[in-house]
PDB file of all heavy atoms in Angstrom:
ATOM      1  N   PHE A 196     -35.084 -14.431  78.238  1.00  0.00           N
ATOM      2  CA  PHE A 196     -35.707 -14.123  76.922  1.00  0.00           C
ATOM      3  C   PHE A 196     -35.921 -12.614  76.806  1.00  0.00           C
ATOM      4  O   PHE A 196     -35.618 -12.103  75.763  1.00  0.00           O
ATOM      5  CB  PHE A 196     -37.038 -14.867  76.774  1.00  0.00           C
ATOM      6  CG  PHE A 196     -37.826 -14.474  75.587  1.00  0.00           C
ATOM      7  CD1 PHE A 196     -37.448 -14.874  74.340  1.00  0.00           C
ATOM      8  CD2 PHE A 196     -38.943 -13.651  75.745  1.00  0.00           C
ATOM      9  CE1 PHE A 196     -38.171 -14.493  73.258  1.00  0.00           C
ATOM     10  CE2 PHE A 196     -39.685 -13.250  74.595  1.00  0.00           C
ATOM     11  CZ  PHE A 196     -39.249 -13.682  73.296  1.00  0.00           C
ATOM     12  N   GLY A 197     -36.430 -11.971  77.791  1.00  0.00           N
ATOM     13  CA  GLY A 197     -36.749 -10.557  77.714  1.00  0.00           C
ATOM     14  C   GLY A 197     -35.479  -9.745  77.368  1.00  0.00           C
ATOM     15  O   GLY A 197     -35.463  -8.775  76.636  1.00  0.00           O
ATOM     16  N   ALA A 198     -34.306 -10.183  78.007  1.00  0.00           N
ATOM     17  CA  ALA A 198     -33.063  -9.448  77.762  1.00  0.00           C
ATOM     18  C   ALA A 198     -32.661  -9.454  76.262  1.00  0.00           C
ATOM     19  O   ALA A 198     -32.290  -8.445  75.623  1.00  0.00           O
ATOM     20  CB  ALA A 198     -31.994 -10.013  78.617  1.00  0.00           C
ATOM     21  N   VAL A 199     -32.690 -10.691  75.643  1.00  0.00           N
ATOM     22  CA  VAL A 199     -32.289 -10.842  74.293  1.00  0.00           C
ATOM     23  C   VAL A 199     -33.334 -10.152  73.372  1.00  0.00           C
ATOM     24  O   VAL A 199     -32.894  -9.351  72.464  1.00  0.00           O
ATOM     25  CB  VAL A 199     -32.247 -12.325  73.924  1.00  0.00           C
ATOM     26  CG1 VAL A 199     -31.882 -12.477  72.364  1.00  0.00           C
ATOM     27  CG2 VAL A 199     -31.036 -13.020  74.691  1.00  0.00           C
ATOM     28  N   ALA A 200     -34.571 -10.376  73.556  1.00  0.00           N
ATOM     29  CA  ALA A 200     -35.591  -9.785  72.725  1.00  0.00           C
ATOM     30  C   ALA A 200     -35.555  -8.259  72.829  1.00  0.00           C
ATOM     31  O   ALA A 200     -35.676  -7.564  71.854  1.00  0.00           O
ATOM     32  CB  ALA A 200     -36.965 -10.355  73.120  1.00  0.00           C
ATOM     33  N   GLY A 201     -35.382  -7.777  74.042  1.00  0.00           N
ATOM     34  CA  GLY A 201     -35.327  -6.347  74.275  1.00  0.00           C
ATOM     35  C   GLY A 201     -34.115  -5.701  73.631  1.00  0.00           C
ATOM     36  O   GLY A 201     -34.217  -4.596  72.989  1.00  0.00           O
ATOM     37  N   ALA A 202     -32.991  -6.385  73.761  1.00  0.00           N
ATOM     38  CA  ALA A 202     -31.784  -5.881  73.055  1.00  0.00           C
ATOM     39  C   ALA A 202     -31.888  -5.803  71.535  1.00  0.00           C
ATOM     40  O   ALA A 202     -31.472  -4.883  70.946  1.00  0.00           O
ATOM     41  CB  ALA A 202     -30.508  -6.812  73.494  1.00  0.00           C
ATOM     42  N   VAL A 203     -32.504  -6.852  71.008  1.00  0.00           N
ATOM     43  CA  VAL A 203     -32.762  -6.878  69.551  1.00  0.00           C
ATOM     44  C   VAL A 203     -33.661  -5.764  69.173  1.00  0.00           C
ATOM     45  O   VAL A 203     -33.515  -5.001  68.238  1.00  0.00           O
ATOM     46  CB  VAL A 203     -33.277  -8.272  69.117  1.00  0.00           C
ATOM     47  CG1 VAL A 203     -33.730  -8.161  67.638  1.00  0.00           C
ATOM     48  CG2 VAL A 203     -32.216  -9.328  69.330  1.00  0.00           C
ATOM     49  N   ALA A 204     -34.743  -5.524  69.952  1.00  0.00           N
ATOM     50  CA  ALA A 204     -35.745  -4.528  69.641  1.00  0.00           C
ATOM     51  C   ALA A 204     -35.096  -3.089  69.755  1.00  0.00           C
ATOM     52  O   ALA A 204     -35.349  -2.239  68.870  1.00  0.00           O
ATOM     53  CB  ALA A 204     -36.911  -4.568  70.662  1.00  0.00           C
ATOM     54  N   ASN A 205     -34.256  -2.936  70.794  1.00  0.00           N
ATOM     55  CA  ASN A 205     -33.556  -1.666  70.902  1.00  0.00           C
ATOM     56  C   ASN A 205     -32.652  -1.318  69.695  1.00  0.00           C
ATOM     57  O   ASN A 205     -32.518  -0.239  69.218  1.00  0.00           O
ATOM     58  CB  ASN A 205     -32.856  -1.579  72.219  1.00  0.00           C
ATOM     59  CG  ASN A 205     -33.714  -1.402  73.388  1.00  0.00           C
ATOM     60  OD1 ASN A 205     -34.859  -1.025  73.299  1.00  0.00           O
ATOM     61  ND2 ASN A 205     -33.279  -1.968  74.569  1.00  0.00           N
ATOM     62  N   THR A 206     -31.973  -2.400  69.282  1.00  0.00           N
ATOM     63  CA  THR A 206     -31.051  -2.331  68.200  1.00  0.00           C
ATOM     64  C   THR A 206     -31.814  -1.954  66.932  1.00  0.00           C
ATOM     65  O   THR A 206     -31.332  -1.013  66.200  1.00  0.00           O
ATOM     66  CB  THR A 206     -30.306  -3.640  67.987  1.00  0.00           C
ATOM     67  OG1 THR A 206     -29.567  -3.990  69.086  1.00  0.00           O
ATOM     68  CG2 THR A 206     -29.318  -3.447  66.783  1.00  0.00           C
ATOM     69  N   LYS A 207     -32.902  -2.585  66.671  1.00  0.00           N
ATOM     70  CA  LYS A 207     -33.716  -2.210  65.527  1.00  0.00           C
ATOM     71  C   LYS A 207     -34.216  -0.818  65.640  1.00  0.00           C
ATOM     72  O   LYS A 207     -34.249  -0.058  64.654  1.00  0.00           O
ATOM     73  CB  LYS A 207     -34.845  -3.230  65.340  1.00  0.00           C
ATOM     74  CG  LYS A 207     -34.445  -4.576  64.880  1.00  0.00           C
ATOM     75  CD  LYS A 207     -35.627  -5.516  64.764  1.00  0.00           C
ATOM     76  CE  LYS A 207     -35.261  -6.843  64.230  1.00  0.00           C
ATOM     77  NZ  LYS A 207     -36.468  -7.731  64.106  1.00  0.00           N
TER      78      LYS A 207
END
Side-chain angles (χ1 to χ4, degrees):
F196 172 74
V199 174
V203 173
N205 290 335
T206 301
K207 289 183 177 179

